[in-house]
Amino acid sequence: MDKNFSLQGFGSASVHAGHHPEPLHAHQTPIYASSTFIFDTAEQGMKRFSGEEPGYIYSRWGNPTMTEAADRIAALETFGLDLEVMGILHASGMAAISTLLFSNLKAGDKVLSHFSLYGGSNEILFKILPELNIEPIIVDLRKLDEVEDVLKKNRDIKLMYLETPANPTIQCVDIEELSKLGKKYNLIVACDNTFATPYLQQPFKYDVDFVVHSTTKFLNGHGTAIGGVLIGRDIEFMKTKATKVHRLLGGNSNGFDAFLLIQGIKTLEIRMDRHCSNAMEVAKYLESHNSIEKVNYSGLTSHPDHKVALKQMRHPGAMLSFELKSGIQGGIDFMNKLKMCVRTVSLGTVDTLLSHPASMTHYSVPKEQRERYGITDGLIRMNVGIENLQDILADLAQAL
Ligand SMILES: *Cc1c(COP(=O)(O)O)cnc(C)c1O
């Protein structure tokens, strides 16, 4: 695509933005399966290492397929914004989060976050950071007055870590207001944008410093590869500190996974449109069903964060959860009856996925503890897929 042609639509950007033309004119981005890259001369090797000449050296440090995947996501996160950012592709969402935390924090710092977080993110905050003398502080980030109180009392908070929407009750926090508070108290603000994708929500619009993704989910879209990306607006920091930490922690992606991710990204807009319209209808259907106690979907006016979701998202998304009145056994029976929808954890794939946290992901978490996070006995989490709506509804109806 001609660099001077300015794309009007997000769907066109999903197909084209961030693509690097290939010297041998391959139409599709090649998979660079090479651990190292050759120097023409010793002098060239010297220049590559010193940074005087751009070029690849060793695939833990990066390779062309990985660069393209990161550039594509960075382009979508800033689509329509007048902003330059840099992305670094990682082996997983957790690897990208690790680079974010370890490049920005040092002993004595504190991190502020919300109680509803992805399990791995919660564990890294509570099981890894404290051993390095970095303290996590959790508040309900939907209560801005409480957030400000905590910020006033803890001047050593260095980073605010947001994730919105978040598991399993699809809570949303106000990125704009939190980012403003963050700036007021000189914090670094980072946002996990995995559930929304850049199509539904662009945290950089609200001046956050970093966006992270588990690309394993909607960006890949087909459940074929684990991956993650860290995107930052301070290009100098991304090129130096973040690059150094990424290279040394060793959480690099690889050419094949990056290739799969690139293929997935091209259809992001049309997949999300279908995911979202199906999710809205599924949520309405479930809300009207008499064996269901409650539906957590931020597209419903009954959801406490409905307004925040509408303010910052193009559409409330494809994830929801619901509580069966029949408790833990009801949840197990329901899961067993599914005929088309898939029984599995994870999310973001084209097929509809359901999981029952009380008997699966949170089986070993004590009941009182999981209930505090909204994980009741009969809670079912659902990634609404892109199948035809009538088939999703028919499968749910027979299982209910
Ligand atoms: C899956 C997920 C992660 C972790 O990503 P991996 O690719 O599994 O390492 C982080 N945040 C959110 C919101 C996720 O859903």
Side-chain angles (χ1 to χ4, degrees):
M1 193 188 78
D2 190 317
K3 276 210 166 74
N4 299 317
F5 187 74
S6 139
L7 297 170
Q8 306 285 314
F10 189 93
S12 313
S14 308
V15 176
H16 295 289
H19 176 60
H20 298 267
E22 198 265 336
L24 297 176
H25 304 286
H27 176 198
Q28 303 303 333
T29 310
I31 299 167
Y32 282 84
S34 183
S35 49
T36 61
F37 294 79
I38 297 167
F39 311 127
D40 286 336
T41 60
E43 288 79 6
Q44 187 185 45
M46 196 167 72
K47 285 185 184 158
R48 291 255 173 102
F49 271 97
S50 71
E52 195 182 317
E53 180 189 297
Y56 295 98
I57 297 174
Y58 185 56
S59 278
R60 172 157 52 76
W61 291 21
N63 94 16
T65 325
M66 281 137 68
T67 305
E68 170 156 340
D71 287 354
R72 278 178 173 271
I73 302 168
L76 296 182
E77 282 292 353
T78 50
F79 181 74
L81 309 179
D82 187 18
L83 178 68
E84 208 191 325
V85 295
M86 178 180 158
I88 303 177
L89 195 72
H90 285 72
S92 65
M94 287 315 301
I97 292 167
S98 301
T99 297
L100 167 77
L101 297 175
F102 297 125
S103 60
N104 282 294
L105 298 171
K106 59 177 186 337
D109 289 339
K110 292 177 180 169
V111 189
L112 181 68
S113 197
H114 189 61
F115 56 86
S116 185
L117 282 185
Y118 176 73
S121 309
N122 187 65
E123 279 194 273
I124 201 168
L125 292 185
F126 282 91
K127 296 190 175 154
I128 308 275
L129 295 189
E131 292 184 353
L132 304 170
N133 196 21
I134 299 165
E135 186 192 325
I137 299 180
I138 297 296
V139 285
D140 187 338
L141 292 183
R142 295 169 304 173
K143 298 182 176 152
L144 296 170
D145 292 345
E146 279 179 34
V147 175
E148 183 144 23
D149 266 0
V150 170
L151 289 173
K152 275 185 193 147
K153 284 183 199 133
N154 295 275
R155 291 308 175 119
D156 34 13
I157 295 176
K158 177 86 180 289
L159 186 140
M160 188 192 298
Y161 185 83
L162 314 179
E163 180 186 324
T164 181
N167 246 334
T169 50
I170 323 299
Q171 289 179 1
C172 299
V173 298
D174 190 326
I175 306 172
E176 183 177 24
E177 293 304 323
L178 289 164
S179 180
K180 271 191 210 151
L181 269 179
K183 299 290 137 169
K184 184 170 167 192
Y185 290 86
N186 262 323
L187 309 190
I188 296 155
V189 181
C191 184
D192 183 335
N193 203 28
T194 300
F195 271 41
T197 80
Y199 179 49
L200 302 184
Q201 173 175 281
Q202 289 174 308
F204 284 123
K205 218 188 257 178
Y206 308 109
D207 285 343
V208 306
D209 300 292
F210 296 96
V211 168
V212 287
H213 276 280
S214 167
T215 62
T216 314
K217 317 293 166 52
F218 293 103
L219 285 170
N220 171 296
H222 302 76
T224 51
I226 302 285
V229 70
L230 170 66
I231 306 170
R233 67 191 301 154
D234 181 343
I235 308 275
E236 195 48 35
F237 179 89
M238 290 303 290
K239 282 188 173 159
T240 53
K241 189 73 190 278
T243 291
K244 178 113 301 190
V245 173
H246 161 251
R247 289 175 174 182
L248 293 173
L249 289 183
N252 58 285
S253 182
N254 63 80
F256 186 61
D257 288 356
F259 169 81
L260 294 170
L261 173 58
I262 291 166
Q263 300 316 309
I265 289 169
K266 293 177 190 174
T267 55
L268 182 66
E269 183 188 71
I270 53 167
R271 281 188 290 108
M272 292 313 290
D273 278 343
R274 177 73 159 250
H275 274 293
C276 289
S277 65
N278 279 352
M280 193 68 225
E281 294 307 314
V282 167
K284 286 189 211 154
Y285 167 75
L286 293 170
E287 199 173 43
S288 69
H289 201 286
N290 59 16
S291 54
I292 289 168
E293 182 68 41
K294 185 177 171 200
V295 179
N296 301 305
Y297 182 62
S298 57
L300 297 174
T301 49
S302 57
H303 192 282
D305 307 327
H306 179 64
K307 278 211 183 86
V308 175
L310 291 191
K311 171 186 168 188
Q312 61 196 18
M313 298 175 77
R314 188 193 293 265
H315 186 283
M319 296 300 297
L320 56 86
S321 63
F322 55 96
E323 276 176 38
L324 294 167
K325 287 182 181 160
S326 49
I328 197 144
Q329 192 55 45
I332 293 169
D333 293 344
F334 168 80
M335 293 298 293
N336 283 335
K337 282 190 197 142
L338 294 168
K339 291 187 198 295
M340 176 194 77
C341 299
V342 182
R343 279 178 291 272
T344 184
V345 292
S346 197
L347 58 122
T349 61
V350 290
D351 42 353
T352 296
L353 314 180
L354 291 105
S355 64
H356 179 218
S359 71
M360 299 172 182
T361 44
H362 293 71
Y363 180 69
S364 57
V365 180
K367 188 173 152 118
E368 308 82 76
Q369 201 180 324
R370 68 172 154 79
E371 284 187 341
R372 242 183 285 145
Y373 299 105
I375 302 171
T376 51
D377 285 349
L379 189 82
I380 304 287
R381 193 184 77 166
M382 183 167 184
N383 163 71
V384 182
I386 67 167
E387 298 97 336
N388 295 103
L389 180 64
Q390 62 265 39
D391 290 314
I392 302 172
L393 293 181
D395 197 15
L396 293 174
Q398 64 81 26
L400 286 166

